[in-house]
Amino acid sequence: MSSLFKFCVIASLAIACLIIIVAAYKTKRFFSCVFLSALQGIIAIFAVNAAGLVTDISLPLNGYTIISSIIGGTPAVIGLLILETVF
């Protein structure tokens, strides 16, 4: 991968994390929002892998996919699934 592409991916992930943190802070229930978002991400990634038995599309369970699903929640899992099907 080129260094510009890596920089763009890292920058977009950092911006997404910042948006999630700001949105959770504004709700005045920071920890419950972060916890529920992480829980939804973990459940979504395991649901995709469970459905992969039928659809033959699954996501690898490694550090990067688990961390992105914890930080980004369900939208990150959807993004990973789109990337998996496209590439």
Side-chain angles (χ1 to χ4, degrees):
M1 279 201 239
S2 68
S3 60
L4 180 64
F5 181 72
K6 286 182 184 179
F7 175 75
C8 290
V9 169
I10 291 172
S12 63
L13 287 175
I15 290 170
C17 290
L18 184 63
I19 289 171
I20 291 170
I21 290 171
V22 168
Y25 182 73
K26 285 188 175 187
T27 61
K28 305 295 185 208
R29 296 179 302 212
F30 178 75
F31 292 110
S32 65
C33 285
V34 170
F35 176 74
L36 289 177
S37 176
L39 186 64
Q40 286 175 351
I42 293 294
I43 290 172
I45 199 165
F46 284 113
V48 165
N49 283 333
L53 297 172
V54 177
T55 62
D56 291 331
I57 298 174
S58 63
L59 295 172
L61 292 178
N62 56 29
Y64 296 116
T65 57
I66 299 226
I67 294 292
S68 66
S69 68
I70 288 173
I71 292 174
T74 306
V77 174
I78 292 170
L80 288 170
L81 188 59
I82 290 171
L83 286 173
E84 182 73 25
T85 57
V86 170
F87 296 111

